[in-house]
Amino acid sequence: MNPDILKERRSATFDVEKLTNILDGGPEKTKRRRDIESMVVSDPDFKEEDPNFLSRSERYDQAVRKSALMIQKLREFGIADPEEIYCYKNSVHSDRPEPLDLHLGMFLPTLLNQATSEQMDRFFMPAWNLKIIGTYAQTEMGHGTHLRGLETTATYDPATQEFVLHSPTISSIKWWPGGLGKTANYAVVLAQLYTQGNNQGLHAFLVQIRDMETHVPLPGVVVGDIGPKFGFVEVDNGFLKLENVRIPRENMLMKYAKVEPDGTYVKPPSAKLTYGTMVFVRSMIVGQSARTLSQACTIVIRYSAVRHQSELRAGEPEPQILDYQAQQYKLFPLLATAYAFQFVSQYMTRTYHRISEDISEGDFSKLPELHALAAGLKAFTTWVTSAGIEVCRMSCGGHGYSRSSALPDLYVDFTSACTYEGENTVMMLQTARYLVKCYRQAKAGQQLGGTVSYLNEAEHRRVRLQPVAAGTTVVDIKDLDSLVEIYKLRAALLIELAAKSIQQELQHKSQEEAWNSNAIDLVRASDAHCHYVVVKLFTEKLGEIDNAEIRSVMSALALLYALHGIANNSGDFLQAGLLSVPQVLQISGSIKRLLSELRPNAVALVDSFDFADRRLNSVLGRYDGNVYEHLFEWARRSPLNATEVHESFHKYLKPLRSKL
């Protein structure tokens, strides 16, 4: 064990194990998670070659082998709880994307959410047992987030009681679905439904794309891999062109919307039910953001504890780079953000399950809020996490550029989350549409609930938000409840300003033009709303923590998160009269004090995330801190070192000598 890392752990003021229990949801869940991870780590079947030294085809092959083994082991061990399956899967693949991601994360949930009982009988168990391997084909070459613009058609033929699936243009080719290229034999295809001469909008259809025995594409199905990407090396993202492919009427997912044998269309109780899978996945992405940022922070903070650089005082030993305030300023706010996102993820999971239960009982009233919250938080957390990983990589200096650090792969695999399942700017605009609607409802006297309840305070809010002279506001910047209040007021103001601007422009512009003219303000309003929700949830979580030592360090993190957010958006708070210039200057001093206060607990805080070395797969983030020995060992394994002299020397360089 590296002596620096030992010293860091001895300086902790709280019990790491107890904080891990809080993150897991209790000691029993921590134990079960570790048991599952141990099952994977101790299983020789999951031993793999370092993917950094493999070709793309070899990495895909290795990933498919592990995925097939994973399903087999899940059956053997009787692991059926969704959370435990997810834990086992992440342990097998070390949180890397893999070919069955969309089968497990979108195809099966879509069946659960949108299939009738008869369809469940036909499709779910074969899919669960991997006879059917599915993917989710929504995005097209020419359209992604703008779902109404999707061009693939599903035209009902009452004479044969079949749907005819067709890709009418080059831009309508399905593009990007994971597992589509080589793995899947079925796809949930999102297509424009035409029946009785009418377009009824986007609906989901189960389409077999490959023969169940030979795996050869079926007639009319043109399918394949889209080629190398920025990341996702192990995933066969694919294309799908359908040439008048016929499927039975019963292959339309008809739990809510239906097409009768004669072609009569039956509307769903809520149009947003079609997008239930996307809401689920966006909620999951918030958790993915939390985990990925936590991993990046673990790597960089452990490395910063064992890396020594330059001099703080002349003639003295080189200090740990974690002792430099500039390094702390880069990393500790990200660490606070990782914890904030962990607690937001817990909230989103609870909220999704609660509202899903309401929907199953016929109550769709909370679905719009869930849709807006999932869209906004998906964008908010992925933007911050993507940028944060890159800060962590650069904070490791040159060694962060090596794939041995795991940070390059973390970045290239995660940053796609800013565009898949909804491009982030569009997601923020979707959330803004809901917020503006809620603002208008509140102004009309309707009482709102949930995360937008603060918009009820219409008259009170207008008084509170009047700009005031510098120095006359009364906000205790050391009190989290006060900070939650000004985050709330900032969000309310930005929503109000955007809504009023749109209303004014509607006098001489169309709805679409007025919306586009205020897009920048609408995105800012959504961002402010999401920021408020995160600060509020982090603060509320403190009230659930009984342990005094843990509550103390979590309070410092929550305060740092809130103050750092104000410092980065000080213009909003100053413009609204919520803070004065002297208070903003005080915030800078408070942040510096918090960095110093958190410094002794930095390593313990990342230890509490409890990532095993195998899961991090990072030489720099090793638990034992023995970075340099293992960095040298890792480099020696490079395929270029298989021989002392590479064949290129004899083929190209040596012949040059005779030509000189």
Side-chain angles (χ1 to χ4, degrees):
M1 190 72 72
N2 182 287
D4 286 320
I5 210 88
L6 275 176
K7 182 187 72 174
E8 294 295 328
R9 292 187 173 116
R10 288 170 182 153
S11 72
T13 63
F14 66 94
D15 187 327
V16 168
E17 182 71 7
K18 290 181 179 177
L19 181 50
T20 299
N21 295 160
I22 291 172
L23 293 173
D24 284 331
E28 299 81 9
K29 288 194 174 183
T30 296
K31 181 180 183 305
R32 180 57 177 159
R33 173 181 58 77
R34 287 175 178 163
D35 287 344
I36 291 172
E37 290 174 353
S38 179
M39 290 162 65
V40 174
V41 171
S42 61
D43 193 332
D45 288 342
F46 289 122
K47 188 176 181 180
E48 66 174 3
E49 293 185 60
D50 190 325
N52 290 298
F53 301 140
L54 300 176
S55 69
R56 181 174 178 232
S57 181
E58 289 169 333
R59 288 183 68 163
Y60 170 71
D61 184 271
Q62 180 167 268
V64 172
R65 177 185 68 82
K66 289 170 62 181
S67 294
L69 276 171
M70 175 184 73
I71 299 298
Q72 181 181 326
K73 303 278 184 179
L74 287 170
R75 294 173 188 164
E76 288 179 8
F77 298 136
I79 298 175
D81 178 81
E83 287 187 16
E84 294 188 355
I85 291 172
Y86 199 60
C87 175
Y88 194 91
K89 174 184 175 299
N90 284 338
S91 300
V92 169
H93 290 281
S94 301
D95 285 303
R96 294 196 302 269
E98 54 96 5
L100 291 185
D101 273 348
L102 262 69
H103 176 78
L104 296 170
M106 296 193 75
F107 188 81
L108 290 176
T110 299
L111 290 178
L112 286 168
N113 292 330
Q114 298 188 43
T116 64
S117 57
E118 293 81 7
Q119 289 172 326
M120 286 291 287
D121 290 341
R122 284 178 56 211
F123 294 108
F124 188 80
M125 287 314 296
W128 179 252
N129 291 323
L130 243 63
K131 181 178 180 182
I132 289 175
I133 303 174
T135 187
Y136 191 86
Q138 174 176 293
T139 300
E140 297 174 355
M141 192 187 292
H143 288 91
T145 307
H146 179 54
L147 299 182
R148 289 194 301 275
L150 294 180
E151 299 176 82
T152 303
T153 58
T155 305
Y156 184 64
D157 180 356
T160 60
Q161 295 193 19
E162 293 174 316
F163 289 101
V164 182
L165 276 290
H166 186 59
S167 306
T169 64
I170 186 72
S171 56
S172 70
I173 295 172
K174 296 296 181 181
W175 201 266
W176 281 115
L180 176 62
K182 294 295 174 184
T183 310
N185 53 27
Y186 263 80
V188 169
V189 175
L190 274 289
Q192 302 287 352
L193 166 61
Y194 285 86
T195 182
Q196 295 181 340
N198 298 314
N199 181 1
Q200 301 295 351
L202 209 60
H203 290 73
F205 301 84
L206 286 167
V207 181
Q208 184 179 344
I209 58 175
R210 289 184 168 95
D211 185 271
M212 302 301 284
E213 295 301 323
T214 66
H215 210 59
V216 172
L218 295 178
V221 175
V222 181
V223 63
D225 180 80
I226 65 170
K229 307 165 291 287
F230 190 46
F232 273 56
V233 178
E234 284 124 332
V235 180
D236 54 324
N237 297 86
F239 60 79
L240 176 65
K241 184 174 186 287
L242 298 169
E243 299 174 339
N244 294 308
V245 174
R246 287 180 171 266
I247 62 171
R249 182 184 71 88
E250 293 79 13
N251 279 33
M252 174 184 167
L253 291 175
M254 291 197 279
K255 183 174 182 179
Y256 299 112
K258 295 180 177 64
V259 171
E260 302 290 359
D262 65 355
T264 302
Y265 177 71
V266 181
K267 291 182 178 180
S270 169
K272 286 187 169 60
L273 286 169
T274 308
Y275 310 135
T277 302
M278 287 184 295
V279 173
F280 168 74
V281 174
R282 288 168 189 164
S283 299
M284 295 287 285
I285 290 173
V286 175
Q288 182 188 357
S289 299
R291 280 193 313 281
T292 306
L293 187 56
S294 299
Q295 288 174 322
C297 287
T298 300
I299 293 166
V300 67
I301 286 175
R302 284 179 179 168
Y303 177 64
S304 297
V306 301
R307 176 74 172 184
H308 291 253
Q309 189 82 21
S310 304
E311 295 179 343
L312 271 176
R313 298 175 184 84
E316 292 190 3
E318 291 180 304
Q320 299 158 278
I321 59 173
L322 199 54
D323 285 336
Y324 288 100
Q325 187 185 74
Q327 187 80 341
Q328 295 168 13
Y329 186 69
K330 285 187 285 186
L331 302 184
F332 292 179
L334 287 175
L335 178 60
T337 303
Y339 270 93
F341 289 177
Q342 292 273 359
F343 299 137
V344 171
S345 173
Q346 292 176 359
Y347 171 83
M348 284 300 294
T349 300
R350 293 194 304 270
T351 302
Y352 177 81
H353 288 311
R354 175 172 52 80
I355 294 177
S356 293
E357 289 177 6
D358 292 343
I359 291 171
S360 66
E361 295 174 4
D363 180 3
F364 306 102
S365 60
K366 301 293 192 304
L367 185 56
E369 182 189 4
L370 176 62
H371 185 267
L373 189 61
L377 286 175
K378 179 266 180 188
F380 185 84
T381 59
T382 55
W383 265 334
V384 171
T385 297
S386 181
I389 299 167
E390 183 66 351
V391 170
C392 290
R393 186 191 65 77
M394 290 190 289
S395 298
C396 289
H399 291 321
Y401 193 67
S402 168
R403 282 172 64 177
S404 68
S405 72
L407 291 167
D409 280 342
L410 270 185
Y411 179 77
V412 299
D413 285 336
F414 181 82
T415 195
S416 57
C418 295
T419 47
Y420 69 60
E421 298 313 314
E423 192 277 328
N424 278 358
T425 301
V426 179
M427 291 297 92
M428 283 297 195
L429 289 171
Q430 285 188 11
T431 302
R433 193 176 299 277
Y434 174 75
L435 294 173
V436 169
K437 180 181 178 181
C438 289
Y439 167 79
R440 291 170 177 167
Q441 290 173 337
K443 192 175 179 182
Q446 185 174 331
Q447 284 297 303
L448 306 173
T451 57
V452 293
S453 60
Y454 63 92
L455 294 174
N456 290 325
E457 307 164 22
E459 295 301 324
H460 176 61
R461 185 179 68 253
R462 277 196 286 274
V463 174
R464 290 289 299 278
L465 293 179
Q466 293 303 313
V468 294
T472 61
T473 51
V474 181
V475 176
D476 183 355
I477 61 172
K478 296 180 182 178
D479 177 60
L480 275 166
D481 289 333
S482 295
L483 297 180
V484 170
E485 180 71 9
I486 64 170
Y487 267 95
K488 176 175 74 175
L489 295 172
R490 170 201 176 214
L493 173 65
L494 291 178
I495 294 168
E496 183 168 28
L497 289 176
K500 285 184 174 180
S501 181
I502 289 172
Q503 195 62 38
Q504 188 173 5
E505 294 201 17
L506 282 174
Q507 297 174 13
H508 52 86
K509 290 183 179 179
S510 68
Q511 179 75 34
E512 294 75 14
E513 290 172 326
W515 188 262
N516 185 49
S517 297
N518 291 278
I520 296 171
D521 296 333
L522 289 163
V523 171
R524 284 180 64 219
S526 288
D527 185 84
H529 171 72
C530 292
H531 211 159
Y532 155 68
V533 169
V534 175
V535 173
K536 178 174 179 286
L537 292 175
F538 201 166
T539 302
E540 288 177 351
K541 185 67 181 183
L542 300 177
E544 301 174 18
I545 300 173
D546 297 327
N547 184 284
E549 291 80 11
I550 293 176
R551 188 168 61 251
S552 175
V553 73
M554 286 294 104
S555 296
L557 279 176
L559 189 58
L560 176 61
Y561 178 77
L563 292 178
H564 189 260
I566 292 172
N568 285 347
N569 299 277
S570 56
D572 289 347
F573 295 93
L574 288 168
Q575 189 176 12
L578 299 170
L579 289 173
S580 64
V581 172
Q583 285 175 317
V584 172
L585 295 175
Q586 288 173 19
I587 284 174
S588 179
S590 295
I591 288 174
K592 292 174 183 176
R593 286 191 295 274
L594 286 167
L595 297 178
S596 180
E597 180 183 337
L598 287 165
R599 169 64 186 86
N601 283 311
V603 169
L605 282 165
V606 297
D607 283 352
S608 297
F609 294 135
D610 204 28
F611 291 117
D613 281 348
R614 175 165 170 171
R615 188 158 171 183
L616 278 182
N617 198 30
S618 169
V619 172
L620 303 191
R622 294 178 58 87
Y623 183 82
D624 63 13
N626 293 324
V627 171
Y628 301 130
E629 300 88 338
H630 290 89
L631 185 57
F632 185 54
E633 178 189 322
W634 184 87
R636 293 286 293 263
R637 297 202 309 270
S638 169
L640 283 179
N641 295 324
T643 58
E644 289 295 337
V645 180
H646 193 265
E647 61 182 352
S648 60
F649 173 79
H650 298 288
K651 289 165 62 177
Y652 310 118
L653 298 179
K654 191 174 181 179
L656 280 176
R657 296 178 181 180
S658 62
K659 297 177 183 179
L660 294 176

